[in-house]
Amino acid sequence: MKRHLLLPLIAMVMTLSSCSPFTLVNSETYNNADLAEYKTFRIVYPDGENKLPDGMQMVTYYNIAAAIREQMVDRGYTEDPSSPLLVNFAVTVHREIDTAPAYTLAPGPMGPMGPGFGPGPGPLGGFYPSFVYPRYNYWTINPNAQVITGIYKEGVLTVDMVNTTEKIPLFSASVATIIDGGQGQYRNLKSIAEAVQTLFSKYPVPIQPQYKNQK
């Protein structure tokens, strides 16, 4: 092979090998939130009303929490159990309910929620986002909201930022997928960290300069 053909081929291979296997499904800020105003955060913990998504073990919860914590700290936040900024998350899982409706409207504090976020299945074959902290505590129906079909695929990780004092959503993003399609198992810590990095790629508060060179 001639040298002038070999060099572009090498560059193309290097580019492909550096691409992340994870895809950002959506990333949106709500209620005109200025997330830079918040200085602290806390990550949801499965205790009492809060439940792990179906099939998740605590080791996977800790891996996801560690990856989220790194992203938040790198952006200048301090973890504080009394913080009004709650980081909630869900993993899209499958539940076998043959007779359940495709869209579930669960009761919220100010009315029903949007489609697919209740305790029942989502619209694509019973896949739905299972949140650790019930989303109906803060997410009410929005007539302008569109169903994002990407979050109804198995293994999609969704992170919500919530002001729990006012019970309003501030930010939400989803990434596909933290389940290994071949094995049907959750990915390891390194892969989960990479997925969460992709999830935070459009977060409105940037990584602080001293941490950028470490990535």
Side-chain angles (χ1 to χ4, degrees), residues 23-26 30 90-95 101-106 113-131 135 139 141 145-158 172-179:
T23 303
L24 185 68
V25 176
N26 70 295
Y30 298 96
V91 175
T92 305
V93 296
H94 184 262
R95 177 172 291 178
Y103 291 84
T104 302
L105 294 179
M113 292 184 304
F117 292 109
L124 296 184
F127 288 90
Y128 73 105
S130 177
F131 282 85
R135 208 182 202 193
W139 200 288
I141 192 167
Q146 296 180 351
V147 176
I148 302 171
T149 57
I151 66 174
Y152 298 109
K153 297 177 182 178
E154 185 179 18
V156 170
L157 174 66
T158 298
S172 184
S174 301
V175 64
T177 168
I178 63 168
I179 289 180

Side-chain angles (χ1 to χ4, degrees), residues 42-46 50 61 65 86-89 131-134:
R42 57 190 170 96
I43 299 173
V44 67
Y45 186 80
N50 304 332
Y61 163 84
L86 174 69
V87 184
N88 189 26
F89 68 82
F131 282 85
V132 179
Y133 175 61

Side-chain angles (χ1 to χ4, degrees), residues 58-180:
M58 282 301 296
V59 62
T60 303
Y61 163 84
Y62 285 123
N63 288 345
I64 294 172
I68 292 171
R69 183 177 297 109
E70 179 181 19
Q71 291 295 320
M72 295 297 285
V73 170
D74 285 359
R75 286 167 169 79
Y77 295 93
T78 301
E79 192 167 14
D80 182 346
S82 63
S83 176
L85 179 59
L86 174 69
V87 184
N88 189 26
F89 68 82
V91 175
T92 305
V93 296
H94 184 262
R95 177 172 291 178
E96 296 289 347
I97 304 179
D98 294 335
T99 60
Y103 291 84
T104 302
L105 294 179
M110 294 177 287
M113 292 184 304
F117 292 109
L124 296 184
F127 288 90
Y128 73 105
S130 177
F131 282 85
V132 179
Y133 175 61
R135 208 182 202 193
Y136 57 73
N137 285 336
Y138 59 88
W139 200 288
T140 55
I141 192 167
N142 178 356
N144 296 319
Q146 296 180 351
V147 176
I148 302 171
T149 57
I151 66 174
Y152 298 109
K153 297 177 182 178
E154 185 179 18
V156 170
L157 174 66
T158 298
V159 166
D160 282 355
M161 304 283 181
V162 187
N163 182 323
T164 54
T165 301
E166 300 179 16
K167 294 185 178 181
I168 57 172
L170 307 174
F171 174 83
S172 184
S174 301
V175 64
T177 168
I178 63 168
I179 289 180
D180 186 331

